[in-house]
Structures are given as structure tokens and as C-alpha cells.
């Protein structure tokens, strides 16, 4: 499965040629088994991105929530609604992971904009 993820991500990067890829840093408080599986997939994503030469930007869940909703402790539903609002969507993106990915992208866009305005990189 990890090889399939790597090949699929590499193909998407080659096709879409993004300037950067924003990834949420892992945060697991309870389920270590799930954390390991997600960490493996995330590692494959970072590897595919690094091999392509595309910039990887990593953000904590708190940073993403704050950038999208204005509150670092926003609920998942609040973040999903704000993603839809900020992107002018009529419905919340599904599945949940799609909304999470869009929130990370919005966070990165905000971060880049602030870097350009202030000249300060995070």
C-alpha cells in the first residue's frame, strides 16, 4: 500500500506541478497503532514530495485551525464550515480528509502571504 501511495502521489505531483505541498504534523494522544500507520503514509508523502523538488510546508493542527477559523481550538465542524466559506463552496467538502487537506492549503497560503508582507519566514 505504501508503494501505491508513493506512486500515486508522485504521479499527481508530476501532473499538477504544485509550487508547494502543505502537510499537517501528526498529533495522536491515544491510539499509537493508528499513529504508526498514519506516520508511515505521511513519510511516503514527504518522500515523494522531496524527490520531486517541491517545497514541503508542515503545520500543526493548532496552526491550521487558527489560520482557517481564527481560533486554535476550533472544532472540526467549525474548520470544515470555514473551509467551505473561504473557498465559496455551497457544501462542506467530503470526505473529512478533503476538508482537512484544503484547510492545510489555506493555512499555507496565509503563511506565504504573511511572509511576503513582513519579510519574515516561519
Amino acid at each position: 500500500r505504501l508503494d501505491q501511495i508513493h506512486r500515486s502521489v508522485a504521479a499527481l505531483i508530476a501532473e499538477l506541478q504544485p509550487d508547494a505541498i502543505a502537510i499537517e504534523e501528526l498529533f495522536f494522544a491515544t491510539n499509537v497503532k493508528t499513529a504508526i500507520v498514519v506516520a508511515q503514509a505521511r513519510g511516503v508523502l514527504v518522500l515523494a514530495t522531496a524527490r520531486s523538488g517541491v517545497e514541503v510546508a508542515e503545520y500543526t493542527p493548532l496552526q491550521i485551525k487558527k489560520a482557517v477559523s481564527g481560533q486554535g481550538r476550533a472544532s472540526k465542524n467549525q474548520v470544515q464550515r470555514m473551509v467551505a466559506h473561504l473557498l465559496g463552496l455551497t457544501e462542506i467538502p467530503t470526505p473529512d480528509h478533503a476538508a482537512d487537506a484544503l484547510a492545510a492549503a489555506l493555512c499555507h497560503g496565509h503563511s506565504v502571504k504573511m511572509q511576503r508582507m513582513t519579510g519574515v519566514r516561519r
Side-chain angles (χ1 to χ4, degrees):
R1 291 178 100 183
L2 294 176
D3 182 54
Q4 181 182 6
I5 292 169
H6 183 272
R7 283 185 280 116
S8 297
V9 169
L12 280 172
I13 292 170
E15 177 187 342
L16 301 174
Q17 299 181 357
D19 294 327
I21 294 180
I23 301 174
E24 184 175 337
E25 291 180 3
L26 289 180
F27 174 77
F28 284 91
T30 55
N31 193 337
V32 175
K33 186 175 181 180
T34 300
I36 291 170
V37 172
V38 172
Q40 289 174 336
R42 187 179 179 283
V44 168
L45 175 65
V46 171
L47 175 64
T49 304
R51 285 186 174 170
S52 73
V54 173
E55 172 192 353
V56 178
E58 299 180 75
Y59 300 95
T60 66
L62 187 93
Q63 288 172 307
I64 293 170
K65 289 177 181 184
K66 189 166 186 172
V68 173
S69 72
Q71 290 200 26
R73 303 285 183 221
S75 70
K76 189 166 198 67
N77 185 262
Q78 287 172 315
V79 172
Q80 291 170 335
R81 287 193 327 241
M82 282 304 298
V83 165
H85 174 74
L86 291 169
L87 296 176
L89 304 174
T90 57
E91 296 181 10
I92 291 172
T94 57
D96 290 352
H97 299 302
D100 294 345
L102 290 169
L106 287 166
C107 177
H108 182 65
H110 176 72
S111 179
V112 168
K113 183 178 178 182
M114 290 303 293
Q115 288 170 9
R116 288 183 183 149
M117 288 173 47
T118 64
V120 177
R121 290 189 58 94
R122 72 172 200 113

